[in-house]
Amino acid sequence: MDLQDLWFIAIALLWTGYFFLEGFGFGVGMLLSVLGRDEDERRALISTIGPVWDGNEVWLIVAAGATFASFPLWYATLFSGFYLPLLVILVALILRGVAFEYRGKVDSTRWRTNWDRAILFGSVVPAVLWGFVFGNIIRGVPVNADFDYAGGVWNLLNIYSLVGGLTTLTLFLLHGALFIALKTAGDIEVRGRQVAERVGLAAVVLTAVFLVWTQVERGKTPTAVTALLGGAALLSALVVNRVGRERWAFALSGATIALVTATFFVALYPDVLPSTNPAYSLTVDNARSTDYTLTILTWVAVIFLPLVLAYQAWTYWVFRQRITVRGGPDQVRSPPDAGAGTGQRDRRRRIARTR
């Protein structure tokens, strides 16, 4: 395997990790006002992702950095052609992070409501636009002989990419609802499972349409396998959710997201950014960095990636307990402010008092 192929796989794995981890974060943000009936419940919901949401964003940063370093031409053409949707995603993510930190700063219902709306906006927009962007990538965009994007914003508006956006929206909603059922106790847990049942039906339909359409347009034998496995995982998640197996349901919804992402990258390879004129498509060979650069990147990844993965695994282990509203059968530790990020607030914890 050549280094450019290895780094294409690495970028695919980074995006898979980002969608798996931050997917449920987007889902929790979208369901904040739906499942949180009062301030205590909303604080409990944000506490489920409070210690980990900013760590999840690291996967996005590393994916973008790896693309820049290993496939600079891909990075340049992608970010110039998709400048507007990517800028909107960036603004939404910044607003979402600020909202997590600031919603608890003032004891005012209006203040918290406005920041909750910001969390909703910062969760819905990326959930839709990531599917929209990746749908356009796999569909192909106008690229000229100099490998520059040759279209406009209107070239990105098409039914396939819109279906891709709705697919990621519903998958992240389902993933978030199942995460809430896994991480909470009491009434919120029950409501999380109920929302997952309703959202799951839409997710099944949209995912099926998107995967079949992808298979028709750019499908191969491996993509047929990943697509079928993804559909089976999604249906299985809904089945085990109905019998109250939260861990299995969440794992299967995550597997669905991973398999849908795998379908995308397998269908894309060896292209990294297909052109509407196949002669000008960017591939792993013509968009790559030099062998020296890829070699240095590989050694850096070998040394530092295990450390990053170990730290994030440790974070999830430390904050593995269920969150309760004003206490419950389990004594649960959570951040003092529901929106606190692990690296941005002091690490004080409070123990929820029993009812």
Side-chain angles (χ1 to χ4, degrees):
M1 181 183 295
D2 294 329
L3 286 177
Q4 64 266 30
D5 299 319
L6 177 65
W7 275 97
F8 180 84
I9 295 172
I11 290 170
L13 291 175
L14 288 168
W15 280 107
T16 301
Y18 175 66
F19 288 147
F20 180 95
L21 295 173
E22 194 64 340
F24 66 73
F26 291 144
V28 172
M30 289 185 279
L31 294 171
L32 180 61
S33 298
V34 176
L35 295 180
R37 295 179 177 176
D38 55 35
E39 176 58 17
D40 288 329
E41 290 189 347
R42 285 189 286 273
R43 283 176 62 86
L45 285 171
I46 301 179
S47 289
T48 62
I49 59 173
V52 298
W53 70 266
D54 50 355
N56 295 341
E57 293 292 340
V58 172
W59 290 77
L60 172 61
I61 297 170
V62 176
T67 304
F68 173 78
S70 57
F71 298 100
L73 194 55
W74 181 16
Y75 181 93
T77 307
L78 178 65
F79 276 75
S80 61
F82 292 80
Y83 180 82
L84 183 59
L86 292 177
L87 177 63
V88 174
I89 290 173
L90 178 61
V91 171
L93 292 177
I94 293 173
L95 184 61
R96 177 172 174 262
V98 172
F100 282 141
E101 299 299 332
Y102 276 81
R103 75 177 304 275
K105 297 295 186 181
V106 177
D107 187 14
S108 165
T109 300
R110 182 178 180 182
W111 172 271
R112 288 190 294 266
T113 299
N114 288 333
W115 285 119
D116 289 346
R117 291 170 181 164
I119 292 173
L120 176 63
F121 175 82
S123 300
V124 171
V125 169
V128 174
L129 287 184
W130 281 130
F132 175 80
V133 167
F134 276 83
N136 269 292
I137 291 174
I138 200 168
R139 178 177 178 268
V141 294
V143 177
N144 61 26
D146 295 323
F147 298 117
D148 295 325
Y149 180 72
V153 175
W154 297 110
N155 293 100
L156 303 179
L157 295 176
N158 55 83
I159 300 300
Y160 175 77
S161 298
L162 293 174
V163 172
L166 292 175
T167 300
T168 51
L169 174 69
T170 53
L171 285 177
F172 292 164
L173 265 173
L174 174 64
H175 201 40
L178 293 174
F179 181 76
I180 290 170
L182 175 66
K183 284 290 293 181
T184 61
D187 292 339
I188 300 183
E189 176 190 352
V190 175
R191 297 200 298 270
R193 290 203 305 266
Q194 292 172 343
V195 168
E197 287 186 19
R198 301 188 189 103
V199 173
L201 298 176
V204 167
V205 174
L206 287 166
T207 303
V209 171
F210 184 69
L211 290 177
V212 170
W213 198 337
T214 302
Q215 185 66 24
V216 170
E217 293 293 327
R218 295 185 60 92
K220 309 166 186 176
T221 301
T223 58
V225 174
T226 56
L228 288 173
L229 289 175
L234 179 55
L235 292 173
S236 300
L238 299 183
V239 171
V240 297
N241 175 61
R242 289 186 62 88
V243 297
R245 302 296 295 273
E246 297 93 351
R247 288 184 177 84
W248 277 105
F250 175 73
L252 287 166
S253 70
T256 302
I257 292 173
L259 287 164
V260 170
T261 308
T263 301
F264 166 81
F265 278 98
V266 173
L268 190 62
Y269 183 83
D271 292 337
V272 292
L273 185 61
S275 172
T276 49
N277 182 347
Y280 302 143
S281 292
L282 294 174
T283 68
V284 293
D285 292 318
N286 63 23
R288 67 192 290 265
S289 292
T290 64
D291 287 337
Y292 181 77
T293 300
L294 293 177
T295 300
I296 295 297
L297 286 174
T298 302
W299 280 109
V300 170
V302 168
I303 294 171
F304 290 102
L305 184 60
L307 299 177
V308 174
L309 293 177
Y311 172 76
Q312 191 158 35
W314 175 80
T315 302
Y316 276 92
W317 174 257
V318 170
F319 294 99
R320 67 189 181 276
Q321 301 96 336
R322 286 181 181 263
I323 304 296
T324 58
V325 180
R326 293 189 178 278
D330 301 317
Q331 289 206 334
V332 180
R333 294 184 176 184
S334 60
D337 179 73
T342 56
Q344 300 170 352
R345 297 184 59 87
D346 64 15
R347 305 301 292 271
R348 294 175 299 150
R349 304 175 189 166
R350 62 180 177 83
I351 300 177
R353 293 172 294 179
T354 57
R355 293 176 181 173

